[in-house]
Amino acid sequence: MLGVILCGGQSSRMGTDKGLIKLHANTWAQTAADKMLLLQLNVVLSVNATQFNEYLSVFLEPQLIRDHDDLQVRGPLAGILSVHLQYPKEDLFVLACDMPLMETIILKHLLMAYQEYPLNGAYVFLNEGQPEPLCAIYTAKALSCIVDLLKANQLPKHSMKFMLEHIQTFTISLNDDQKKFFRNFNAPAELNGL
């Protein structure tokens, strides 16, 4: 399994690249990567082409996976499928860089579900009945099926939630006290108190 930190968003509301915002001494991207390293996973970062050079100043080139131009999709799905195309045999443990409050214990819950219920294609948390697809595990087999649907023009929407409708998914409902870990930050005003 490979840990994947999703950093490829536009960060338009934040006004600066969210993955490169610093929390204490580390960038958000490095903070997320460190949580995956605690699970003893190798980690790569999904970035778009415009971010690549800036991330090279912080990360090693082999750690950076650029979005594939020929995928004809945007957003998180483009990042996840780009990593899948480069590592087609690896299951992917995905975490968005803009969830700086995430705790490793939450990630361990997902990893245990993956190990205990191996016949599913995806493992996600439910937050008030809605999936949290940017902190999830996707199997290589399921992602291969999604690529096939995309090539056959049978994936009309490219949202993560729509993709999950095409994968056998194991879900874990969040407790009220766990929901704070999934908060993502999109604007500078939201950073107060971090």
Side-chain angles (χ1 to χ4, degrees), residues 67-105:
D67 290 349
H68 278 252
D69 293 331
D70 55 344
L71 272 174
Q72 306 298 316
V73 291
R74 300 246 182 277
L77 186 57
I80 292 168
L81 293 181
S82 295
V83 175
H84 169 69
L85 291 174
Q86 189 149 335
Y87 296 95
K89 293 185 174 37
E90 294 279 359
D91 295 341
L92 305 182
F93 197 146
V94 171
L95 179 62
C97 70
D98 62 353
M99 292 184 188
L101 303 180
M102 182 57 66
E103 293 288 338
T104 305
I105 189 69

Side-chain angles (χ1 to χ4, degrees), residues 107-161:
L107 303 177
K108 284 182 180 173
H109 285 306
L110 208 55
L111 194 54
M112 287 187 330
Y114 165 85
Q115 291 164 343
E116 289 176 30
Y117 304 97
L119 299 179
N120 294 279
Y123 301 79
V124 301
F125 290 102
L126 290 182
N127 192 342
E128 299 189 13
Q130 294 299 311
E132 289 281 357
L134 303 186
C135 174
I137 295 173
Y138 300 97
T139 66
K141 184 177 178 183
L143 291 173
S144 179
C145 290
I146 294 299
V147 169
D148 289 344
L149 287 174
L150 195 59
K151 287 179 180 173
N153 291 318
Q154 294 179 351
L155 200 69
K157 294 185 204 168
H158 300 154
S159 76
M160 295 299 296
K161 289 179 182 178

